[in-house]
């Protein structure tokens, strides 16, 4: 089957075509038009600006995805679109485009949870992932440990009590005048530090690392960076100090994420531990989580998404759509979803 998917929950206008057969999935096209430069001027995503850009880009992006895949609209079997969570003005552009296409082309339509998409990006890599799966979801809006006993079955076993991991990277980058988004630039700065011999004394906290539950908190870590900068104004002008703070901040986040994931792994005994979400693009996190699993849970398989499917894209939404379609008992009803589907900023994964 051929799936057309659309994603506009935040600041990327994305459309993809994938083909799927017996859980073997192939990305035929995956177009992402990023608005990062536009929002960078404001230090974060401005919802109405995002909607305006999505509106401008959505049809060219869908057209590009179809053209690149060489799939004709009449051969599409399903349309999948992100229904939430996300920014309502942004979500609405993708959803209304998908609903219109579903109505005009008489194709079934499925609304997908954005995080379900991130999780399912892993199934592009590997069609033999073993359940139960423990998934560490780390994005700009979410930090969760999710246990999946089977496909599309989610139990949140831990989550952040305040900021998400990606949000912490973005806020710390703003404090250090490093621009938006924070993750990629902080990890680059942190790499610079590695080559330096001199060690600095400043140690940032590892919040909740010993809390005996599986929850996270990153807001205090961000505040610790803020106080450090306020106390020592030199930091903003000194590249060496800045790169040290980036390294120490990144390591603090990784230490907590890894410790809690290993704790959850010992508790729930999954066959696979998986990473998902934009922060999974972080090379150190990928490496250090892999090493910790090898050391502490040697029988558990470790799965990470391809970097190009770590950050927001539409191919991941199509993959989730494929598995939802397979599970759907009344496929005819999906033809009528264009009448029903709506955006939900706080959609819960279920
Ligand atoms: O999943 P995503 O693309 O969008 C949301 O669903 O939120 O995640 C975006 C987040 C941003 O906060 C960004 O700073 C972070 O992922 N991110 C990273 C890296 N690349 C992106 N964080 C740490 N290291 C990276 N290399
Ligand atoms: Zn995302």
């Amino acid at each position: 089957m051929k799936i057309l998917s659309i994603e506009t929950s935040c600041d990327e206008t994305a459309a993809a075509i994938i083909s799927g057969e017996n859980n073997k999935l192939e990305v035929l096209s995956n177009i992402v038009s990023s608005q990062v430069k536009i929002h960078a001027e404001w230090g974060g995503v401005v919802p109405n600006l995002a909607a305006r850009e999505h509106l401008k880009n959505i049809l060219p992006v869908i057209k590009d995805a179809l053209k690149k895949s060489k799939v004709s609209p009449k051969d599409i079997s399903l349309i999948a679109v992100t229904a939430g969570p996300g920014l309502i003005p942004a979500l609405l552009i993708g959803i209304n485009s998908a609903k219109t296409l579903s109505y005009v082309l008489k194709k079934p339509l499925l609304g997908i949870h954005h995080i379900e998409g991130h999780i399912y990006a892993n199934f592009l890599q590997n069609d033999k992932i073993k359940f139960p799966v423990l998934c560490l979801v780390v994005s700009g809006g979410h930090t969760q440990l999710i246990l999946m006993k089977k496909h599309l079955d989610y139990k949140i076993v831990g989550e952040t009590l305040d900021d998400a991991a990606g949000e912490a990277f973005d806020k710390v980058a703003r404090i250090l005048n490093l621009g938006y988004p924070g993750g990629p630039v902080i990890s680059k700065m942190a790499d610079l530090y590695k080559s330096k011999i001199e060690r600095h004394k400043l140690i940032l906290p590892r919040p909740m690392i010993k809390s005996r539950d599986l929850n996270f908190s990153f807001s205090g870590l961000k505040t610790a960076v803020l106080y450090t900068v306020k106390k020592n104004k030199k930091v903003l002008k000194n590249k060496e100090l800045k790169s040290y703070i980036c390294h120490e901040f990144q390591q603090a986040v990784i230490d907590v994420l890894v410790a809690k994931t290993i704790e959850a792994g010992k508790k729930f005994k999954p066959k696979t531990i998986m990473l998902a979400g934009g922060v999974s693009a972080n090379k150190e996190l990928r490496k250090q989580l892999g090493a910790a699993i090898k050391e502490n849970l040697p029988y558990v398989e470790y799965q990470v998404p391809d970097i190009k499917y770590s950050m927001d894209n539409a191919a991941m939404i199509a993959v989730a759509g494929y598995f939802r379609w397979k599970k759907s008992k009344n496929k005819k009803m999906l033809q009528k979803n264009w009448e029903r589907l709506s955006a939900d900023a706080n959609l819960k994964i279920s």
Side-chain angles (χ1 to χ4, degrees):
M1 71 186 290
K2 305 276 191 295
I3 304 170
L4 162 66
S5 57
I6 297 171
E7 151 65 46
T8 62
S9 67
C10 195
D11 57 350
E12 325 276 3
T13 316
I17 310 278
I18 73 159
S19 71
E21 191 96 57
N22 296 328
N23 296 1
K24 295 240 183 298
L25 303 155
E26 189 188 348
V27 179
L28 304 180
S29 64
N30 186 38
I31 310 293
V32 181
S33 165
S34 177
Q35 308 172 4
V36 157
K37 279 197 188 129
I38 291 162
H39 297 289
E41 272 183 48
W42 305 92
V45 182
V46 184
N48 284 340
L49 207 53
R52 201 176 71 191
E53 288 304 303
H54 284 314
L55 196 56
K56 206 159 70 189
N57 296 327
I58 189 74
L59 291 179
V61 164
I62 294 172
K63 199 172 151 207
D64 251 25
L66 283 163
K67 192 172 163 201
K68 194 156 178 233
S69 70
K70 300 197 173 72
V71 171
S72 149
K74 71 176 177 0
D75 296 324
I76 285 166
S77 342
L78 172 72
I79 298 169
V81 62
T82 306
L87 307 167
I88 287 289
L91 286 164
L92 283 174
I93 308 297
I95 291 179
N96 275 315
S97 309
K99 284 164 86 162
T100 309
L101 286 171
S102 163
Y103 172 68
V104 173
L105 299 170
K106 296 187 174 53
K107 303 290 179 186
L109 173 66
L110 265 172
I112 300 294
H113 191 287
H114 181 76
I115 293 302
E116 181 167 79
H118 275 302
I119 293 172
Y120 272 83
N122 282 287
F123 289 84
L124 275 173
Q125 241 53 51
N126 183 351
D127 60 350
K128 295 191 176 58
I129 292 177
K130 290 187 199 134
F131 289 94
V133 169
L134 174 70
C135 192
L136 173 64
V137 176
V138 271
S139 72
H142 290 73
T143 299
Q144 293 178 321
L145 278 162
I146 298 184
L147 187 65
M148 295 172 71
K149 290 202 170 135
K150 54 182 194 299
H151 273 297
L152 309 172
D153 179 72
Y154 308 103
K155 186 174 172 206
I156 298 169
V157 296
E159 64 188 326
T160 181
L161 305 178
D162 42 53
D163 292 353
E167 193 181 351
F169 271 93
D170 295 339
K171 286 178 173 171
V172 166
R174 205 178 309 164
I175 294 169
L176 297 174
N177 287 340
L178 290 171
Y180 171 85
V185 60
I186 286 187
S187 71
K188 241 189 240 159
M189 288 288 284
D191 279 351
L192 284 183
Y193 181 74
K194 268 189 222 160
S195 54
K196 304 284 190 294
I197 298 152
E198 192 189 338
R199 285 276 173 268
H200 295 266
K201 275 192 196 126
L202 172 80
I203 304 287
L204 291 170
R206 269 64 176 160
M208 292 184 72
I209 201 160
K210 293 199 166 92
S211 67
R212 290 182 164 193
D213 58 22
L214 299 172
N215 292 328
F216 305 90
S217 164
F218 294 110
S219 154
L221 181 54
K222 164 209 70 192
T223 310
V225 175
L226 182 65
Y227 283 154
T228 305
V229 173
K230 274 192 173 165
K231 252 198 266 162
N232 187 353
K233 294 257 176 344
K234 247 189 358 210
V235 171
L236 293 181
K237 293 194 192 98
N238 183 326
K239 204 171 171 190
E240 150 99 43
L241 260 173
K242 232 186 204 182
S243 65
Y244 170 72
I245 291 181
C246 288
H247 183 268
E248 173 61 10
F249 163 76
Q250 174 176 276
Q251 195 54 49
V253 174
I254 293 174
D255 283 349
V256 179
L257 293 174
V258 169
K260 299 272 170 165
T261 308
I262 296 298
E263 223 172 297
K266 286 181 179 162
K267 183 166 175 190
F268 296 107
K269 304 187 171 42
K271 290 215 167 89
T272 308
I273 291 181
M274 213 151 88
L275 249 186
V279 182
S280 74
N282 187 286
K283 290 199 188 88
E284 276 303 310
L285 173 62
R286 291 162 89 98
K287 196 170 90 189
Q288 293 186 32
L289 181 58
I293 292 169
K294 219 176 185 176
E295 190 184 328
N296 296 283
L297 304 160
Y299 302 106
V300 177
E301 280 174 24
Y302 179 46
Q303 176 67 46
V304 291
D306 188 319
I307 296 248
K308 66 175 176 285
Y309 302 120
S310 284
M311 304 249 255
D312 287 353
N313 66 88
M316 67 185 200
I317 302 300
V319 179
Y322 171 81
F323 285 96
R324 284 234 163 245
W325 166 264
K326 276 198 1 172
K327 197 191 162 190
S328 143
K329 291 203 174 78
N330 192 344
K331 295 193 167 51
K332 261 212 151 139
M333 284 288 285
L334 303 184
Q335 205 99 23
K336 289 272 184 196
N337 261 352
W338 64 267
E339 287 177 10
R340 285 188 282 263
L341 193 65
S342 60
D344 183 348
N346 302 308
L347 190 63
K348 299 278 173 269
I349 197 162
S350 62

